Amino acid sequence: MARNVAFDLNHPLMEAGLESPIDEEGVHDSFSQLIAEQSQNGGASDSDAFELQELQRQLDEEERDNVAFLSGPGRELREFQGRRQRDAEWEDAETQADPLIGERWSSATMKILSSMPSRTIGRNRGAIISQYYNRTMQLRRRRQSRPAIRDFSRSARPSIRGYGIETDSADAEVSKRDRLVNNLQNLSVSDRIRMLRAMPLNVSEKSELRSLALQKEKRTLSRRIPCCSQLKYYIINGARQGWYSWLSFLHSLHLWQVPLKRVSGRFGSGVLSYFLFLKTLLFFNVFLFLLTGAFMVLPQALHRPDTSAGRLPFTGLELLTGAGYFSDTVMYYGYYCNYTLGKSCRDDGWVHDVSLSNGTMPDCVSKHLPYNMPLAYFFTIGVSSFLTCIILVYSMSKSFGQSFRIDKSHSILAIKTFCSWDFKVIKKSSVKLMSENICTQFKELLAEVSHKQVKNTRCQRLWRLMVHGLAWAICVASTTACVLAIYYCSDHMHQNLQLLLRSGVPVNNPLLNEAILLALPVLVSLINLLLPGLFNLAAWMEDYESPSVRTYVSIGRNLMLKVSVLGVLCYHWLGRVAADPETIGLKCWETFVGQELYRFLLMDLIFTILDTLFGEFLWRLFSEKVLKRRRKPVFDIARNVLELIYGQTLAWLGVLFTPVLPAVQILKLLLLFYIKMSSVMMNCQAPRKPYRVSQMTTVFITLLCFPSFLGASVCVTYTMWSITPSSSCGPFRELKTMFQAGKRWVEELEKDNPNLSVLARAHSYLVENPFFLFVGAGIFLIVIYFHSQVVDGQRKIIGLLQEQIENEGDDKKFLITRLQTIHEQKRTPARRLVSQNSNC
């Protein structure tokens, strides 16, 4: 059943500049109203009125279909009589399937389509400027009294000459432009911005109009404002410009900004995520090194303890083993003292190695500001771990919000198409870099949009399931074999140290004996280098259709390997060495564990460099020179990222035993960045199948938080709460656990000042009770859960809004088609009536 359809052109959106500039009948009505007003006011001249009546007469006598025009709310579609006859044929088969294709539109439908922004393309600048001059005048009339029509020149009046392209002379265009600038100057800032945005001009012309309006406004203000106010205005403007320049300078100081853009443009978001993750780890280590250096390393370096034994000479092998000359430095746990640091202690002749029951010296406290080294060591490790946990939780929550908020590529395509270019970029190299970056992002998005899930038959699915099972069996078996090899190797080395101690043979070269301990780090690094190659071979056998799925599977398998290896090593250090250090002749087992962690970290760096040299550089030369191929290796994101997580876990484990280990990790990450960046740009190629990994950074931060930091925190907490420290070295000597340092300090405070008993009770409930740690961990997990739920709700809302936009598009199609149908149905009886009259 046909029904009338009404369109509202007085909607606020139409006032914002979305109405058609070719709406002739709307202009016709406005002219009629304007003629009536001027005739009532008596303000219009006879020539103006005659011209308006002439234009109205021309419009009435125009030979075209007089179709229904769109009126305000409450009106219906009105029909005019048509003079031309059309074919009575309706749509063919193709147009019946889709009425919006191949249609010969009526004038009513053309009126609706002409209100769309795309139909304003093609008009010349003079017509556009004239049109928006009239709109600015309308805005000014709403805020001011309406001027008479005689105040406007004829060139400033709107054009109603139909749908043709208007032609203006250069002088007329300049005059219209000047008047438009004057009107823009007199508008408010919000109206001016809205009007400029609605103009169908390019960005340079809009910015030129805006600058002209601002300059004219400044000149007008400078004539009215007194000198003191002008000086104040110039000072404020100069301060604002200086602040913007300073912000731009700070933005240019971002670390590795240009190399990261270069990698993103050539290799895509997957490879870029590795370098962004490396940059994140660098900031974590800088933060950790600043804390430990300021509160542990620097105070102890300024107050060197007196040691009876002399230092060993530096031979150079210490750079690999971490032993020898480095053993008696601030690098390791055993160097730190267990008393309160004070300058007067040395002046009064106190012996620094004496350990009192409370770990302090009263005379030192009374004369100078005390610095309790055991307490500082304990709380620095605890506070740094707590702050690192907060930063990790915040980073993970923020990453969740950024990567999972919009997970559809269709909407991102429109954003990338219309909003990705930065028009402030003017350098040729920057333009080229930015274009490469946008091109790569388009390839990834289009690959994700065009990806189609292939439906396999039951036999194919069964075969793929068997292949996946075989691949996972190979990976699990190889990981188990390697973990057993590390376990037995560490046990064999432990037994050799025991035999060496029982034999009583004097060691002529202790440094060479410690160099033998490099065998275990070499074995672990070799396994970490070779086994991921087997995982890649298994992934090639599985033949994953999606490159992102293949990356995530590789991350899971490499994570299984790293966690297993670190678990065995932690058992070796805390279950064998720390449990019974006397059996292998260790006086300070904490320093031994710190040296082991230093060796593992250094061997990991050396084997990574070797893999980059032989696995990427030499393979590229062999492929180009011998095989005569241009294929280069693809950067293995999963293996390289898990190597970073493995190294960071070692750094978090070793900060208790080696407070300077974060500095070593910082040097390692800096070296790795430049080595990997050079290797990627020279030896690697972009993935043959471009893919967008939107959640890659979130996955990396999550793996860094839960398996890595959580495992390291559990090991450090177990060491401080349960394992007895060495009795001859370190800040916690002669204590049952490291935790008792804080407990004794609180007891001393309560003894000196009974009013601080509340602090002692708070310490016993919050620090001594491990329940507090579980509550804190639970709170962090709850925060992450609620944030993920909020993000999930936002994602659902965005999905509903996208669906609503699609439905609105369907509604527009329905309304246009319905309008065409109503017009044809109403025009058919009129055509029959005309034919009957002609027959009569």
Side-chain angles (χ1 to χ4, degrees):
M1 179 178 179
R3 52 190 175 93
N4 294 329
V5 181
F7 294 86
D8 185 9
L9 288 182
N10 294 325
H11 194 270
L13 289 178
M14 304 304 289
E15 294 181 1
L18 297 180
E19 69 270 17
S20 172
I22 323 173
D23 194 356
E24 299 297 340
E25 287 147 359
V27 177
H28 175 79
D29 285 350
S30 64
F31 269 94
S32 301
Q33 295 175 6
L34 192 58
I35 292 170
E37 291 179 5
Q38 297 297 328
S39 61
Q40 291 176 2
N41 297 332
S45 62
D46 294 338
S47 61
D48 293 331
F50 178 77
E51 182 185 358
L52 290 174
Q53 293 172 2
E54 189 69 21
L55 289 174
Q56 184 179 2
R57 190 179 303 108
Q58 290 178 7
L59 184 63
D60 292 336
E61 294 176 357
E62 194 173 4
E63 291 186 358
R64 58 186 179 91
D65 286 342
N66 293 325
V67 296
F69 63 93
L70 302 178
S71 61
R75 296 184 182 180
E76 297 180 350
L77 270 154
R78 296 179 299 179
E79 178 181 324
F80 291 161
Q81 294 181 354
R83 294 183 179 181
R84 293 182 304 169
Q85 293 185 0
R86 292 184 179 178
D87 250 343
E89 298 180 2
W90 187 239
E91 304 170 344
D92 55 4
E94 183 180 2
T95 57
Q96 287 177 358
D98 190 356
L100 296 179
I101 300 176
E103 184 81 27
R104 291 180 299 177
W105 300 109
S106 65
S107 299
T109 308
M110 288 297 296
K111 184 180 298 299
I112 304 301
L113 294 177
S114 66
S115 65
M116 299 182 180
S118 59
R119 296 307 176 100
T120 63
I121 299 175
R123 306 188 71 214
N124 62 357
R125 296 173 65 254
I128 293 171
I129 291 174
S130 176
Q131 168 198 346
Y132 280 91
Y133 168 75
N134 295 321
R135 294 188 182 180
T136 53
M137 289 302 301
Q138 291 174 6
L139 285 176
R140 290 181 61 186
R141 287 195 198 107
R142 292 175 191 150
R143 290 160 176 80
Q144 301 172 2
S145 60
R146 174 178 291 182
I149 196 171
R150 64 173 177 270
D151 296 335
F152 300 99
S153 62
R154 295 184 179 181
S155 59
R157 297 169 186 170
S159 172
I160 54 171
R161 297 298 182 184
Y163 296 96
I165 296 178
E166 301 176 4
T167 57
D168 291 323
S169 63
D171 296 336
E173 182 178 340
V174 170
S175 63
K176 291 177 182 178
R177 180 172 177 170
D178 293 338
R179 286 191 295 272
L180 178 60
V181 170
N182 290 332
N183 286 344
L184 289 174
Q185 171 201 347
N186 295 324
L187 291 178
S188 63
V189 178
S190 59
D191 291 337
R192 186 189 305 163
I193 293 175
R194 186 184 63 176
M195 193 63 64
L196 285 171
R197 285 179 178 174
M199 290 183 184
L201 300 173
N202 56 37
V203 178
S204 61
E205 292 176 345
K206 289 182 180 181
S207 60
E208 187 177 356
L209 288 173
R210 179 176 175 272
S211 61
L212 289 174
L214 288 175
Q215 289 176 6
K216 197 163 245 186
E217 185 178 6
K218 288 179 181 178
R219 285 194 226 108
T220 306
L221 289 175
S222 62
R223 295 171 185 171
R224 300 175 182 174
I225 300 175
C227 296
C228 296
S229 300
Q230 288 186 23
L231 180 61
K232 180 181 177 181
Y233 172 76
Y234 290 140
I235 291 174
I236 294 174
N237 193 19
R240 186 185 294 112
Q241 294 297 328
W243 174 250
Y244 290 155
S245 301
W246 172 251
L247 290 179
S248 178
F249 174 72
L250 290 180
H251 182 72
S252 64
L253 293 180
H254 285 181
L255 186 62
W256 301 325
Q257 186 177 10
V258 176
L260 291 177
K261 287 184 178 180
R262 192 174 293 123
V263 169
S264 175
R266 185 175 299 182
F267 298 96
S269 59
V271 181
L272 177 66
S273 62
Y274 166 79
F275 291 98
L276 291 177
F277 185 66
L278 191 150
K279 184 179 177 181
T280 304
L281 292 183
L282 181 65
F283 289 146
F284 273 112
N285 285 278
V286 168
F287 167 75
L288 189 59
F289 174 68
L290 290 177
L291 283 180
T292 56
F295 296 102
M296 292 168 53
V297 178
L298 186 60
Q300 188 63 63
L302 294 177
H303 300 82
R304 295 177 56 187
D306 294 334
T307 56
S308 57
R311 289 187 179 180
L312 296 175
F314 182 77
T315 60
L317 190 59
E318 292 89 347
L319 296 175
L320 289 177
T321 63
Y325 178 81
F326 291 148
S327 299
D328 196 19
T329 59
V330 292
M331 189 171 179
Y332 295 112
Y333 167 91
Y335 183 79
Y336 292 83
C337 62
N338 68 326
Y339 49 79
T340 300
L341 299 179
K343 210 168 184 181
S344 62
C345 298
R346 185 172 300 176
D347 299 338
D348 295 340
W350 283 89
V351 182
H352 288 251
D353 290 338
V354 176
S355 301
L356 301 179
S357 60
N358 58 355
T360 63
M361 288 182 170
D363 291 344
C364 302
V365 177
S366 61
K367 292 184 179 182
H368 290 277
L369 184 65
Y371 193 83
N372 194 333
M373 195 63 207
L375 192 67
Y377 203 102
F378 176 80
F379 278 106
T380 301
I381 298 298
V383 170
S384 62
S385 301
F386 182 72
L387 293 178
T388 303
C389 182
I390 292 177
I391 296 173
L392 271 175
V393 170
Y394 173 76
S395 302
M396 188 166 57
S397 301
K398 186 177 179 181
S399 183
F400 265 110
Q402 290 177 352
S403 61
F404 288 98
R405 186 162 293 159
I406 299 176
D407 54 351
K408 291 184 179 180
S409 301
H410 301 79
S411 57
I412 305 179
L413 268 174
I415 297 174
K416 290 293 180 184
T417 304
F418 298 105
C419 307
S420 57
W421 188 261
D422 187 2
F423 291 93
K424 295 181 291 184
V425 177
I426 55 175
K427 291 177 62 176
K428 185 177 293 185
S429 58
S430 301
V431 169
K432 182 179 179 182
L433 190 62
M434 191 172 182
S435 60
E436 288 182 354
N437 198 344
I438 295 175
C439 181
T440 304
Q441 292 176 8
F442 270 119
K443 289 180 181 178
E444 295 174 354
L445 292 171
L446 290 174
E448 185 174 351
V449 170
S450 60
H451 176 72
K452 296 181 180 179
Q453 191 70 27
V454 180
K455 294 183 179 180
N456 297 322
T457 61
R458 184 175 299 178
C459 295
Q460 290 176 342
R461 282 182 289 178
L462 182 61
W463 170 252
R464 291 189 66 85
L465 187 63
M466 293 175 59
V467 171
H468 290 323
L470 178 62
W472 275 102
I474 292 174
C475 295
V476 171
S478 58
T479 302
T480 305
C482 292
V483 169
L484 291 175
I486 294 172
Y487 175 81
Y488 286 115
C489 179
S490 61
D491 185 54
H492 178 70
M493 293 184 64
H494 189 75
Q495 292 178 1
N496 284 342
L497 290 176
Q498 291 179 354
L499 291 175
L500 186 63
L501 179 64
R502 293 172 186 173
S503 63
V505 179
V507 180
N508 297 326
N509 192 353
L511 194 62
L512 183 62
N513 188 32
E514 291 175 350
I516 300 175
L517 298 175
L518 288 173
L520 184 60
V522 169
L523 175 63
V524 172
S525 300
L526 193 62
I527 289 174
N528 288 331
L529 177 65
L530 297 179
L531 205 59
L534 181 63
F535 295 162
N536 292 334
L537 184 63
W540 173 80
M541 182 177 63
E542 290 173 307
D543 190 19
Y544 286 102
E545 297 176 358
S546 175
S548 59
V549 174
R550 179 174 179 174
T551 302
Y552 288 127
V553 170
S554 181
I555 288 175
R557 290 169 180 172
N558 282 275
L559 181 65
M560 175 181 63
L561 173 64
K562 305 298 182 186
V563 170
S564 303
V565 169
L566 287 172
V568 173
L569 292 177
C570 289
Y571 170 75
H572 169 66
W573 292 324
L574 304 180
R576 290 178 183 160
V577 177
D580 193 9
E582 289 80 8
T583 57
I584 56 177
L586 293 178
K587 296 181 180 180
C588 190
W589 65 268
E590 293 91 349
T591 299
F592 176 80
V593 174
Q595 292 172 358
E596 285 275 288
L597 287 163
Y598 173 81
R599 286 190 283 264
F600 273 90
L601 200 63
L602 190 64
M603 285 298 111
D604 181 63
L605 173 63
I606 292 174
F607 275 80
T608 303
I609 295 175
L610 292 177
D611 174 60
T612 304
L613 178 63
F614 292 100
E616 296 176 358
F617 177 68
L618 293 183
W619 172 251
R620 179 181 69 86
L621 293 179
F622 178 78
S623 178
E624 290 179 353
K625 305 298 181 182
V626 180
L627 300 180
K628 302 297 182 182
R629 294 180 180 177
R630 292 185 178 180
R631 283 186 59 183
K632 297 179 180 180
V634 179
F635 187 76
D636 194 347
I637 301 172
R639 181 174 62 84
N640 285 279
V641 167
L642 267 298
E643 287 293 333
L644 291 179
I645 294 178
Y646 168 76
Q648 188 59 40
T649 308
L650 292 177
W652 279 330
L653 280 171
V655 71
L656 177 64
F657 312 106
T658 311
V660 192
L661 198 61
V664 179
Q665 178 72 354
I666 289 172
L667 296 176
K668 174 190 170 183
L669 291 176
L670 289 173
L671 191 60
L672 268 182
F673 179 84
Y674 290 105
I675 291 175
K676 288 293 183 180
M677 179 67 66
S678 302
S679 177
V680 164
M681 301 301 293
M682 292 173 54
N683 306 321
C684 296
Q685 67 176 6
R688 289 184 294 274
K689 293 181 180 180
Y691 63 99
R692 186 176 69 97
V693 190
S694 57
Q695 293 90 20
M696 187 72 82
T697 305
T698 306
V699 172
F700 294 162
I701 294 292
T702 305
L703 295 179
L704 184 67
C705 183
F706 284 114
S708 175
F709 179 77
L710 184 62
S713 300
V714 168
C715 292
V716 171
T717 305
Y718 172 76
T719 303
M720 300 179 75
W721 256 257
S722 302
I723 300 179
T724 303
S726 299
S727 59
S728 60
C729 68
F732 306 107
R733 65 190 77 174
E734 295 188 357
L735 295 176
K736 291 183 179 180
T737 58
M738 299 179 184
F739 168 74
Q740 286 186 350
K743 185 177 181 180
R744 287 192 175 184
W745 175 70
V746 173
E747 290 175 355
E748 287 297 324
L749 286 179
E750 186 179 7
K751 188 184 296 183
D752 295 338
N753 191 355
N755 296 327
L756 297 178
S757 59
V758 178
L759 181 62
R761 286 196 298 270
H763 183 272
S764 63
Y765 285 117
L766 297 180
V767 182
E768 293 181 18
N769 194 353
F771 178 74
F772 172 73
L773 297 176
F774 293 104
V775 170
I779 290 174
F780 282 137
L781 292 176
I782 289 173
V783 168
I784 295 172
Y785 172 76
F786 276 110
H787 189 81
S788 63
Q789 291 299 314
V790 170
V791 171
D792 185 65
Q794 291 175 350
R795 186 171 64 237
K796 290 180 180 179
I797 291 174
I798 289 174
L800 292 175
L801 292 176
Q802 290 175 345
E803 185 178 357
Q804 183 178 354
I805 292 173
E806 294 176 359
N807 292 335
E808 287 180 357
D810 295 337
D811 292 343
K812 288 180 181 179
K813 292 181 181 180
F814 168 77
L815 290 174
I816 293 174
T817 307
R818 189 65 178 169
L819 177 65
Q820 181 74 18
T821 306
I822 293 173
H823 176 70
E824 292 294 334
Q825 288 177 356
K826 290 186 177 182
R827 191 176 57 183
T828 303
R831 194 163 50 235
R832 290 176 181 173
L833 183 61
V834 171
S835 61
Q836 290 176 2
N837 292 335
S838 61
N839 293 332
C840 293

